[in-house]
Amino acid sequence: MNWKKAIVLRFHSDMVTVQDLKSNQKINCYLPGKFKLQKIRPIVGDYVEYSVDKKSDYGRIENILKRKNELYRPKVANLDQLVLVTTIKNPQVDLLIVDKILALAEKERLDVLIVLNKIDLLKDYLDKEKMKRFINIYSKIYPVVTTSKLTKENIDTLEKYLKDKVSTFAGLSGVGKSSLLNTLDPNLNLREGEISEKLGRGKHTTTYAELLYFNFGGFIVDTPGFSNLELKGIKKDELKFYFKEFQEYYGFCNYSNCSHIVEPGCAVKEALKNNLISESRYENYCNIYRELEKDK
Ligand SMILES: Nc1nc2c(ncn2[C@@H]2O[C@H](COP(=O)(O)OP(=O)(O)OP(=O)(O)O)[C@@H](O)[C@H]2O)c(=O)[nH]1
Ligand SMILES: [Mg+2]
Ligand SMILES: [Zn+2]
């Protein structure tokens, strides 16, 4: 058996595009029927073993290796890091979706980087205040990098965060995920879309997730943007563990299984009163908790 190891870049209809881990060569592989019979499908980021058919240029997937983790939105395996890309305007920031994506990343124990893109658009006072508010909320919890594809601000800092990791970009349609990747490597030529003037939203330009290899060392998944996000697979009682800044109050509430919503003597609510936890994060925690309650 002469199987080689590769990582899945893309899965489309019946073909799996992989990159050999030794040679970095890209190979199209077919997926034998036995996987289909067992309803096993590779996903982007999967490590696989494959063999090469000498007669054709195609490879054949022989084995899909056990996943270290698996994010369901976007659907990607074996990540080290989630890069949440957002803007303040064009499109307008949606803090509920931001907090949902962050909860999903925490569930999978991923490192998180927040990228605030299109910083060049924030010229007037109100927009700048919105940006300050955003940074004030999130930079206490996660690293936040402000970027612009136009001015190239902080693209070098972004590269440092991405180096030698497997990361996925995630965020609303139109925030500039593909644009930032094109800025990091102009040879990529990923499709970029406009923002609908009428709706102020992106037009879902990227339609499939694809793992991209960068010469500075590292893989990044470009993903289709969200317009909405329903959380599945998270139980309401575990949600509190996915709000990172709540962790330091763990064990200090009167009730050991405190939901931090209605119970008296709650250390998280006390921290909220003392401005140690942001109102918007706490409100979104309650909103998501109620959404998950309804799902049951
Ligand atoms: N002014 C400004 N415009 C930007 C910036 N980054 C991206 N854009 C524009 O925003 C629009 C959307 O960019 P995309 O890269 O397609 O956004 P996306 O997040 O990949 O969108 P989806 O693929 O739909 O999820 C394009 O018209 C870009 O030119 C930026 O830093 N500043
Ligand atoms: Mg895109
Ligand atoms: Zn509590």
Side-chain angles (χ1 to χ4, degrees):
M1 266 187 314
N2 191 14
W3 293 357
K4 296 176 181 179
K5 253 178 112 175
I7 187 167
V8 172
L9 302 178
R10 194 185 156 189
F11 182 47
H12 37 122
S13 50
D14 269 351
M15 226 11 117
V16 191
T17 308
V18 304
Q19 177 164 319
D20 187 282
L21 291 184
K22 269 205 186 126
S23 69
N24 283 347
Q25 203 191 346
K26 286 184 191 174
I27 300 124
N28 283 320
C29 297
Y30 70 89
L31 190 67
K34 65 169 185 186
F35 290 103
K36 285 175 217 159
L37 284 175
Q38 296 175 60
K39 297 210 165 72
I40 300 174
R41 294 166 125 242
I43 62 176
V44 171
D46 262 333
Y47 289 103
V48 295
E49 290 174 311
Y50 73 99
S51 59
V52 186
D53 182 354
K54 295 252 163 56
K55 281 178 244 133
S56 70
D57 288 335
Y58 291 116
R60 173 190 149 102
I61 301 288
E62 301 287 358
N63 191 16
I64 302 170
L65 303 178
K66 197 172 174 331
R67 290 168 190 153
K68 168 170 99 175
N69 54 38
E70 184 180 340
L71 200 66
Y72 89 93
R73 257 321 271 282
K75 200 160 179 56
V76 194
N78 301 319
L79 288 169
D80 300 311
Q81 175 171 256
L82 181 137
V83 180
L84 186 140
V85 184
T86 183
T87 48
I88 295 294
K89 66 179 208 183
N90 288 9
Q92 266 208 349
V93 62
D94 182 333
L95 295 186
L96 182 62
I97 291 190
V98 165
D99 290 335
K100 283 179 174 180
I101 297 174
L102 292 173
L104 284 177
E106 288 297 333
K107 183 177 163 68
E108 297 304 328
R109 298 168 192 272
L110 303 178
D111 287 347
V112 168
L113 171 69
I114 298 180
V115 172
L116 193 53
N117 190 35
K118 305 200 191 182
I119 215 77
D120 57 280
L121 296 178
L122 309 179
K123 295 205 176 90
D124 65 38
Y125 176 78
L126 269 181
D127 288 336
K128 282 190 178 145
E129 284 303 305
K130 277 190 202 159
M131 174 181 85
K132 278 192 209 153
R133 179 169 170 254
F134 182 95
I135 294 175
N136 190 29
I137 296 172
Y138 290 99
S139 64
K140 290 182 191 128
I141 320 169
Y142 297 108
V144 178
V145 178
T146 53
T147 56
S148 162
K149 113 171 174 177
L150 298 189
T151 67
K152 308 265 189 296
E153 173 176 335
N154 287 332
I155 298 299
D156 49 345
T157 313
L158 178 60
E159 188 177 304
K160 280 186 199 132
Y161 275 102
L162 298 166
K163 194 171 160 20
D164 299 330
K165 289 189 176 161
V166 181
S167 309
T168 187
F169 274 25
L172 288 182
S173 174
V175 294
K177 298 178 292 299
S178 304
S179 300
L180 283 173
L181 295 170
N182 281 336
T183 309
L184 287 162
D185 179 357
N187 293 321
L188 283 175
N189 275 322
L190 300 171
R191 230 157 64 81
E192 301 172 15
E194 286 153 26
I195 304 294
S196 145
E197 275 191 29
K198 222 162 105 202
L199 301 171
R201 289 198 217 124
K203 293 181 173 170
H204 296 277
T205 308
T206 305
T207 51
Y208 54 85
E210 182 177 22
L211 188 69
L212 305 158
Y213 174 69
F214 287 77
N215 281 330
F216 56 76
F219 287 96
I220 309 166
V221 189
D222 190 15
T223 62
F226 305 118
S227 47
N228 203 346
L229 177 60
E230 275 180 43
L231 285 191
K232 285 187 216 126
I234 289 186
K235 296 194 185 77
K236 70 176 189 340
D237 296 328
E238 61 182 281
L239 182 66
K240 59 187 173 197
F241 301 121
Y242 308 142
F243 275 67
K244 205 178 168 194
E245 69 275 39
F246 293 6
Q247 293 318 301
E248 61 179 288
Y249 306 102
Y250 186 78
F252 289 95
C253 301
N254 270 358
Y255 294 88
S256 63
N257 61 348
C258 185
S259 70
H260 313 317
I261 294 184
V262 289
E263 297 87 340
C266 170
V268 167
K269 280 195 281 181
E270 190 61 29
L272 175 72
K273 251 191 236 158
N274 296 326
N275 289 325
L276 297 168
I277 284 178
S278 98
E279 250 173 61
S280 119
R281 284 278 289 172
Y282 181 75
E283 274 169 22
N284 283 341
Y285 168 73
C286 297
N287 289 335
I288 301 169
Y289 186 93
R290 291 198 191 100
E291 252 180 58
L292 295 174
E293 209 166 29
K294 262 189 251 152
D295 278 356
K296 270 185 74 189

